[in-house]
Amino acid sequence: MTTEVAMPDSQEMTAGPASSPVGKLIVVGLFALAVGAFFYFDLKQYLSLEALKANRDSLLAYTEAHYTKSVVLFILLYCLQTAFSLPGAAIFTLAGGFLFGSFLGTLYTNIAATSGATLAFLAARYLLRDWAPSRKGSPRTPSAI
């Protein structure tokens, strides 16, 4: 005994859920809040080569005493810096090599940068999902998603 299951057509399968304006406002608000806080609290002063040199000993001591916590904190901060497109990626990269060594610093930096770039891509895709096809002048197709 076989039963037939009706398959939805291809348009039903590729159409994603409609993006809510409230969700988009929350994402834009979060982005604006993060960027505003970065510049309001002048956090750029801590993302310089001079700041890295001035805090060299304390950073190394903290990393040695709390290695796992340091790795998680480094990856989290670098990921957020990349996701919100804030300045300081070069200093984070140098600090990763300085604190964790060449091999592990490269590994942690790549994990953080890739995660942050993925978050930035997903946020942009979510926010601009409806706008991009209209700019292109064609209806949304599976290849355009």
Side-chain angles (χ1 to χ4, degrees):
M1 178 170 151
T2 60
T3 59
E4 291 185 26
V5 177
M7 295 295 293
D9 65 3
S10 63
Q11 286 183 343
E12 289 177 6
M13 290 177 65
T14 58
S19 302
S20 74
V22 174
K24 287 183 178 183
L25 285 174
I26 290 172
V27 172
V28 169
L30 181 64
F31 182 80
L33 183 66
V35 172
F38 180 83
F39 288 107
Y40 180 78
F41 293 112
D42 194 25
L43 298 178
K44 189 176 180 181
Q45 69 179 330
Y46 300 110
L47 297 176
S48 67
L49 196 54
E50 291 78 28
L52 189 61
K53 287 179 187 178
N55 296 306
R56 175 187 186 277
D57 295 332
S58 59
L59 287 170
L60 285 172
Y62 185 83
T63 301
E64 188 175 319
H66 310 282
Y67 188 80
T68 304
K69 190 175 182 180
S70 298
V71 170
V72 170
L73 189 61
F74 173 78
I75 290 174
L76 178 69
L77 290 174
Y78 198 125
C79 180
L80 290 174
Q81 176 274 326
T82 305
F84 291 116
S85 301
L86 297 171
I91 296 300
F92 267 111
T93 303
L94 290 172
F98 168 67
L99 294 173
F100 307 113
S102 296
F103 180 74
L104 290 176
T106 301
L107 177 68
Y108 301 150
T109 298
N110 280 320
I111 289 170
T114 303
S115 300
T118 301
L119 288 175
F121 165 77
L122 291 173
R125 181 178 179 205
Y126 176 71
L127 291 172
L128 303 175
R129 160 177 260 155
D130 300 328
W131 178 75
S134 66
R135 295 283 300 160
K136 191 173 165 184
S138 65
R140 195 152 92 179
T141 61
S143 62
I145 295 178

